[in-house]
Amino acid sequence: MDRQALQREQVLSLHDGHVLVALGNLGGAASGLLILLNSPLLSSTYLIAWFAAFTLHTVVSVACRMRLRREDLVEPGRQRQWLRLSVRTMGSLGLLWAALFVPVMLNSPQAYQFAV
């Protein structure tokens, strides 16, 4: 398989799975939020702000994905654009998870760490 065909397959895989990944993360974030709202570890204001940022990230991410149809990804320029967008999206998603993960890991019992 040549480089261009491999890149096309990677792009199509990322494109096809993007919504499921985003919604799965949102579901996990909602579960973590519900657990942590009942704990004294973090202020509810912080948790609500974190979840709002997480939800906004998910909505923007899914909207960007919906604007770019699978058929549009035939062109190599569009493929590179989608790969860059995917890297940025996953990088910012990782930062959002870290904003919850670090405070919980530093201050909480194992049960809450496990939940996050």
Side-chain angles (χ1 to χ4, degrees):
M1 184 177 272
D2 68 1
R3 179 176 155 80
Q4 190 173 2
L6 180 62
Q7 178 175 301
R8 183 174 186 274
E9 287 304 312
Q10 290 172 334
V11 166
L12 292 177
S13 253
L14 282 169
H15 185 270
D16 293 346
H18 185 82
V19 172
L20 289 177
V21 168
L23 295 178
N25 271 289
L26 188 60
S31 299
L33 175 72
L34 292 175
I35 291 167
L36 290 172
L37 278 175
N38 294 316
S39 77
L41 301 174
L42 298 171
S43 76
S44 58
T45 304
Y46 180 84
L47 290 168
I48 299 293
W50 175 83
F51 189 70
F54 201 96
T55 303
L56 179 64
H57 179 278
T58 301
V59 168
V60 169
S61 172
V62 169
C64 286
R65 186 258 180 219
M66 298 302 228
R67 286 185 54 214
L68 192 61
R69 296 172 309 166
R70 196 173 205 274
E71 299 81 38
D72 296 336
L73 294 173
V74 175
E75 180 187 326
R78 289 287 218 176
Q79 293 172 5
R80 284 189 297 280
Q81 179 185 13
W82 178 255
L83 287 172
R84 281 192 301 273
L85 179 65
S86 292
V87 167
R88 288 183 189 122
T89 301
M90 291 301 137
S92 57
L93 181 64
L95 292 173
L96 277 168
W97 275 115
L100 179 66
F101 181 80
V102 171
V104 171
M105 290 301 149
L106 294 176
N107 306 335
S108 66
Q110 279 186 329
Y112 290 111
Q113 292 176 4
F114 182 73
V116 172

